[in-house]
Structures are given as C-alpha cells and as structure tokens.
Amino acid sequence: MFRPVSLFVGLRYTRSRRRNHFISFISLFSALGIALGVIALITVLSVMNGFHKEIRERILGMASHGDVQALDGSMEEWRLAMEQVRRHPEVLAAAPYIQAQAMLTHNQYVSGALIRGVDPALEKDVVDVAQHMREGRLDDLKAGRYGIILGRELAQALAVDVGSKVTLVVPQMTVTIAGSMPRLRRFTVVGIFEVGMHEYDSGVAMIHIRDAARLLRMGDAVTGVRIRIRDVWQARRVSLQLANSLPGVYRVLNWTDYHRNFFAALKMEKRMMGLLLFLIVVIAAFNIITTLVMMVVDKQSDIAIMKTFGASPGMIMRIFVVQGATLGVVGTVLGTVLGLLLAFNVEDAVAAIERAFGIHFIDPSVYYISKLPSDAQWPDVMMVAGGSLLLSLLMTLYPAWRAYRTEPAEALRYE
C-alpha cells in the first residue's frame, strides 16, 4: 500500500466522486474561491506598487536622494562638505544648489515659485530633470545670461513660452534714493520641464547657480549640496552616516523626508487594501471547514472501520488535514499563477477593455499617466501565497478534530 497511509487516503477522498457529488461541488468552489482571492490580491498589490513606483520616479525627477544643508541656510564651506560626501562609497554624485522663494511676473500674470539655482553640468548627475525637459535643455542655463527653466504648469500660468521674458522678484529689499524696493531681475525662458507632479510642475523654476548667488547676494555660499545614492532605499541609512561623519554642523535629509506624510499614507493604503482583499481568501477558506465537516459526517463509517483496524487518532486527523490542505494548495497555486499572468499583462487587459467598451479608466489630464502601471514584487507574492496556504491549513484543524473524536461503536450502530 502507498505510504504514508494518511496521505494516500486523504488524496483518495479528495478525488472521490462516487457517493456525494454535492461535497465535490463545494470542494471545487472552495478551491476556486481561494484562487479568486489570491488573484485579486496579487493584481491589486501589483497595481498599487506600480503607482507607487511611478510617483516615486516622478518625485525623484526633481528631488535628490539626499540633501546636506547648513542650519542657517548659507553653507560657506560647501566645497569641503561636497568632497567629504563624494568619498562615501554609496554616493554616486553630488551638486551644490541655491534655493529661495520668489515671485514671477509676466504682463498681468503673477505666480509664486521656488527658485532653484543649479549647476547644469552637475545637476544632471543628481536628479533626472534633464530627462523631463519638454522644450529646451538643462545645458541652456548659462552663467551671466539670466536664463530660466519653468515647470509646464507654471509656464502656462504665466502665459509664457521659450524665448519669453519674465521678471523674477525676490523677498529681499534694496535701499535706493527712492526708498526700499524689492530686488528683481528680468530672465529669459530657455526651457520648460514636466515631471508629472503638480507640486513641481506648477511651483519650481531653475536658474544658473551663479545667477542665483548674484541675485540673492550670497557671494560664494550655497544653500546646500544635493546627492545621488547608489541604492535609493538606503538613503536614510547613508544620510545618518553622512550626518555623523561631516565636519561642522549640518542638516542631512533624504528624499522620504520631503514627502513623509505622503509616503506614509501610501503605505497605510496598501496595507489596508491588502487586508480588505485578504477577506476574500478568508471567506473562501471557511468553505473548507464546511466541506470537511460534511466529509467527516459522510465518512463516519469509514473512520470507525479504520479505527477498529488500528488506525491511530493522529492518522485520522492527518487524513482530513491532507484533504483540506490539498484544496488550499490547488487554489493557491492556481491563483498565484493566474494572478502573476494578470499582473504582468494588466496594461494590455485594461487597454482591451477600454477599446471594447469605449471607456477610459485613467484620464491623463488628471493623473498625468495614460496607462495602468503594474509592478509585481516577489515579497508580496510570497506573502499572499504563504498566508493563503497557512489559512487553509488552519481551517482543517476543527474538522480533523471532529473526525478524531468519532466513536466507532456509535458510528457503526446502524450500519
């Protein structure tokens, strides 16, 4: 006989179709329910990961991985600090910058903006803004020519295009014979960028770092040094190491600090969505209890006979654990395979549905994207599959205990 006996009998009960077709029907739908829950979980988590990745890449189009700043906003010894930063093995590039709040005007249009003075030769190694230029190039910023690059929404708000003149007003006063006046300067628009984040596209403008220093009268000082790290997920650890190793007192930030609440909300959203969808698997797993309890009632005489022939209580329990675990394994494996196929092809599937019904799930004018992103991550897949298998196994314990407590005399009394 096939060994072990409990595995042989449990698999045979799972395949049996002769006595009670209703139990077989419930068993089939228990496995399909688990598969459906696993498919939904893997697909939704992959789509949420895709959205998070898309947002992260857009943020890193303008925000560096790390930022070393002076506490008073004016870093005099920035060259020494930048040299120390570049020596760290995890740092790929570093670039100085000057940052200030200002107001831009063009004809009757006025808009506030964050002015960022950058060195074009170094900035492209720190952030990906050069890849998001829609008009002009980052290298078009030349010292002394007072060129400016605007976000697309900011350019639209000011009704300007490449070649237009804008007036930049900084909140610093210049004392003249006529009295105190805000400092201002005419700039020529030399480029327009679009990273797909409203915060940057509508509120950031870039000028050459020397023009910014001259306009803000900072001399040779800068606001800080921006850095690019080899592994973006190690930004917090590297920032702490730099804060402890740099000479002097500096504030070292990383890219998550700029949007801490935003990323915390995304993380919480993913957890809650995963928990809610996991209830589908829980409901399907409860069907396993129903199936096995009905099977125990149907097989009471078989259980009694096996006990009279010397089957131990542990063997009886293992038989029904095998049967329930088989349903869980089949449902989990089927759901994982189909879920991965759907996650890898969700963009094509959504596009086909949109073409078939003439609808659009994602409006590019609202979400800045025209496709449904998906990023299937193996830790999520393993967590879903492992949770489904564990839950299925737990659901077999009560029916197996019921089978274990079956009394042979009572079960065979009316046979």
Side-chain angles (χ1 to χ4, degrees):
M1 181 181 289
F2 182 82
R3 302 285 182 176
V5 177
S6 57
L7 179 62
F8 170 76
V9 177
L11 293 177
R12 184 171 182 178
Y13 279 174
T14 303
R15 297 192 305 268
S16 179
R17 296 291 183 272
R18 293 184 300 171
R19 294 185 58 180
N20 198 326
H21 295 285
F22 181 71
I23 296 178
S24 301
F25 177 81
I26 297 297
S27 301
L28 174 63
F29 272 82
S30 298
L32 291 180
I34 293 174
L36 181 62
V38 172
I39 291 172
L41 258 175
I42 292 177
T43 304
V44 171
L45 291 180
S46 298
V47 171
M48 295 187 73
N49 289 334
F51 271 113
H52 296 178
K53 181 180 179 181
E54 193 78 18
I55 293 172
R56 184 174 66 250
E57 290 178 351
R58 292 170 188 268
I59 289 176
L60 294 180
M62 287 297 294
S64 59
H65 296 173
D67 192 352
V68 181
Q69 300 177 355
L71 296 179
D72 59 357
S74 179
M75 183 183 291
E76 299 286 348
E77 302 296 331
W78 62 270
R79 289 184 177 84
L80 177 61
M82 189 166 69
E83 185 65 27
Q84 292 287 337
V85 166
R86 285 175 171 172
R87 291 178 182 175
H88 194 285
E90 294 296 322
V91 175
L92 298 177
Y97 74 96
I98 294 176
Q99 189 166 284
Q101 294 288 341
M103 182 174 64
L104 293 170
T105 66
H106 174 71
N107 295 333
Q108 74 272 24
Y109 303 103
V110 180
S111 181
L114 181 68
I115 303 300
R116 184 176 294 167
V118 301
D119 185 339
L122 300 176
E123 188 73 6
K124 64 179 64 176
D125 296 329
V126 175
V127 295
D128 301 327
V129 65
Q131 304 173 11
H132 297 281
M133 296 296 298
R134 295 296 174 259
E135 298 182 50
R137 299 179 305 147
L138 187 61
D139 293 332
D140 292 334
L141 292 177
K142 305 292 183 181
R145 296 187 181 180
Y146 294 99
I148 188 170
I149 296 176
L150 306 176
R152 178 172 291 278
E153 294 184 25
L154 180 59
Q156 292 174 351
L158 295 172
V160 298
D161 205 342
V162 173
S164 301
K165 301 287 186 178
V166 296
T167 301
L168 192 152
V169 184
V170 296
Q172 295 183 7
M173 306 306 291
T174 300
V175 179
T176 65
I177 299 176
S180 298
M181 299 180 60
R183 192 172 304 137
L184 51 86
R185 180 78 192 195
R186 295 272 286 179
F187 280 79
T188 302
V189 179
V190 297
I192 295 175
F193 67 85
E194 183 181 19
V195 298
M197 289 288 291
H198 176 76
E199 176 183 353
Y200 298 124
D201 292 343
S202 65
V204 174
M206 294 184 295
I207 61 178
H208 197 281
I209 190 170
R210 294 183 186 175
D211 295 341
R214 191 176 297 112
L215 179 66
L216 298 171
R217 294 184 179 179
M218 295 188 64
D220 195 41
V222 299
T223 302
V225 175
R226 287 145 61 86
I227 60 177
R228 190 181 191 95
I229 299 172
R230 191 180 310 277
D231 184 0
V232 65
W233 300 111
Q234 298 299 320
R236 182 176 297 277
R237 178 181 62 82
V238 175
S239 297
L240 292 176
Q241 293 176 354
L242 291 175
N244 295 328
S245 63
L246 286 173
V249 181
Y250 298 106
R251 180 190 299 112
V252 183
L253 305 174
N254 62 81
W255 62 278
T256 60
D257 293 324
Y258 295 109
H259 302 84
R260 184 185 303 273
N261 294 336
F262 180 70
F263 284 105
L266 290 180
K267 188 175 182 179
M268 179 61 68
E269 180 187 22
K270 180 180 176 181
R271 286 180 177 176
M272 294 306 299
M273 186 64 70
L275 180 61
L276 292 175
L277 289 176
F278 192 68
L279 292 178
I280 300 177
V281 181
V282 174
I283 294 171
F286 270 107
N287 288 333
I288 294 179
I289 295 181
T290 304
T291 302
L292 293 184
V293 168
M294 295 174 63
M295 181 65 71
V296 169
V297 174
D298 186 60
K299 300 291 185 180
Q300 277 192 340
S301 59
D302 294 0
I303 297 171
I305 292 172
M306 285 189 288
K307 279 192 170 184
T308 59
F309 276 96
S312 65
M315 179 185 294
I316 300 299
M317 289 189 65
R318 287 194 295 271
I319 288 174
F320 290 93
V321 169
V322 167
Q323 184 179 359
T326 301
L327 297 177
V329 169
V330 171
T332 301
V333 172
L334 180 63
T336 301
V337 173
L338 294 180
L340 287 174
L341 288 176
L342 183 57
F344 290 140
N345 298 279
V346 66
E347 181 183 344
D348 296 332
V350 171
I353 295 174
E354 290 179 339
R355 288 193 301 268
F357 295 96
I359 58 177
H360 293 281
F361 290 105
I362 301 177
D363 186 356
S365 63
V366 176
Y367 299 100
Y368 295 98
I369 56 176
S370 58
K371 62 181 182 179
L372 194 65
S374 178
D375 180 24
Q377 297 182 0
W378 287 111
D380 289 340
V381 175
M382 298 302 295
M383 181 182 66
V384 171
S388 176
L389 288 175
L390 179 60
L391 185 61
S392 301
L393 184 62
L394 291 176
M395 292 301 176
T396 64
L397 297 181
Y398 173 73
W401 179 77
R402 284 285 302 273
Y404 156 79
R405 288 176 57 86
T406 299
E407 294 293 340
E410 291 294 330
L412 296 176
R413 175 175 295 179
Y414 300 106
E415 291 294 331

